[in-house]
Amino acid sequence: MDSTMVAFEAEKQKILAQLADIFNRQNFLLLSSRALMAFGAPLHRLEANLIAMALNLDVEATFAVLPGIILITFGDEDTRSSETYVVRGMAGYDMYRLGRTNRTIRRVLKSRISVGQGVKNLERILATPPIYSWWMMLLDYVAISFFICPLFWNGSWQDAGVSAMLGLMVGLLQLLAGRFNNYANLFEVSSAFLVSFVAALLQNHVCFGTVSFAGIVMLLPGLALTTSIIEMASRNMISGTVRLVFALSRCFMLGYGISVGSMLGSRVLGLDTAVALMEGQIDSTTDVGNCRPGPSKFWWFMFLPVLSLAFNISISAHWRQWPFMMFSGCLAYTVSYFTSLSEAVSPLSPAIAAFAMGLFANVLASFYNHRSAVEPILGGVQLLVPGSLGLKTVLSFITSSGTSSGSFLYNIFATSLGVSVGLFLSGMCIFPNRRKRVGLMTF
């Protein structure tokens, strides 16, 4: 009798241990999906990566990835039952925590740590606050607006100084939107309105177009627009379409705010040239509205790394990630600049720059298994995204310029598609035949 009870208890403990192990692996998949979605992993590869993780962990699971939500179904062949979990979260960009999540997942899949330890690590990562405080992010708004003004739109020193002040104002409004939910719905429109209103009041001293775009550069939906094209090109139609509609809607909100603000600012000065102001000052190289030439291009050698660093801080990159991300950003901008000088290869400039940047990031990830290619690629894509083109299109729609709006709209998709083609080609060159049980953390 005693031996029977001992055998029964031993069998019971064995079954409980097996169930605990299964639940542990399922919990690891749930936490991994939540962390990857929240910290900026590419959605068009997330489903394939989760399937690879499930195969490696020997868990029967299916996944459906949508913007802001992941549906995970765990099946049991023995009982012929299934459980579906809904993982919700706001997608964002946090390169530091994404890198830690990627390292934890790789260590678990390679059996360097147990699944239980991996669960504890992921819970600790999800509970970790952002590495940069609110005042650091506020200074980042100022730095990006200042350095991008002469580098992207050939603005003068005076334009850069005013852009920095406007960037500070947008950063303060961002903090206000995070504190008051009702104001968050008006954040984009009110920020564009105030920036363009101040720029219009100072139109006799600064270049309106340069200062307006540099002031709201952190709100331009270029990255969302490019990732939507990438997702649709990879046949993730639902997430790609949602992102595309969001990006275009944000363009229209910013364009509406700029249109109303510039018109009101011109009326305050007793002018009735708001439409001409928007159309003529899109390019700071014109002589409309006191657009002075920018500083010497030798300054660009100093501006470019600092701007790349500021963009890296905006997506919460750790200082250990800065060197590779800065190099990727500078490489993308440099290749794009020199290829655009040639009329023969100018249409292919975004694709060539994205290919060079993606090649560097994927080679780096293949040599260092604990690194992913997402961080360097995002560090470079931010300097290639066509956010300003999207805003120009909206302004063209508002000013009823149908021909120019169609041309700008074509340029938006051509640039975004060129970036996606370059990234896909670089990934194919480095990872031509990826094994099923190994995820691919790249674009």
Side-chain angles (χ1 to χ4, degrees), residues 10 23 31 93 131 147-148 156 171 204 212 289 312 383 396 410:
F23 292 149
L31 291 174
Y93 293 102
I131 59 176
F147 289 108
I148 206 171
S156 63
N204 294 325
S212 297
N312 295 338
L383 297 176
S396 299
Y410 169 78

Side-chain angles (χ1 to χ4, degrees), residues 311-358:
F311 271 127
N312 295 338
I313 293 176
S314 70
I315 55 176
S316 299
H318 194 267
W319 64 267
R320 293 189 182 92
Q321 298 170 312
W322 289 353
F324 297 111
M325 295 179 67
M326 289 175 62
F327 181 83
S328 178
C330 294
L331 175 65
Y333 183 86
T334 303
V335 173
S336 175
Y337 175 78
F338 283 105
T339 53
S340 62
L341 296 179
S342 173
E343 294 184 1
V345 297
S346 178
L348 300 176
S349 178
I352 297 173
F355 175 76
M357 170 191 62

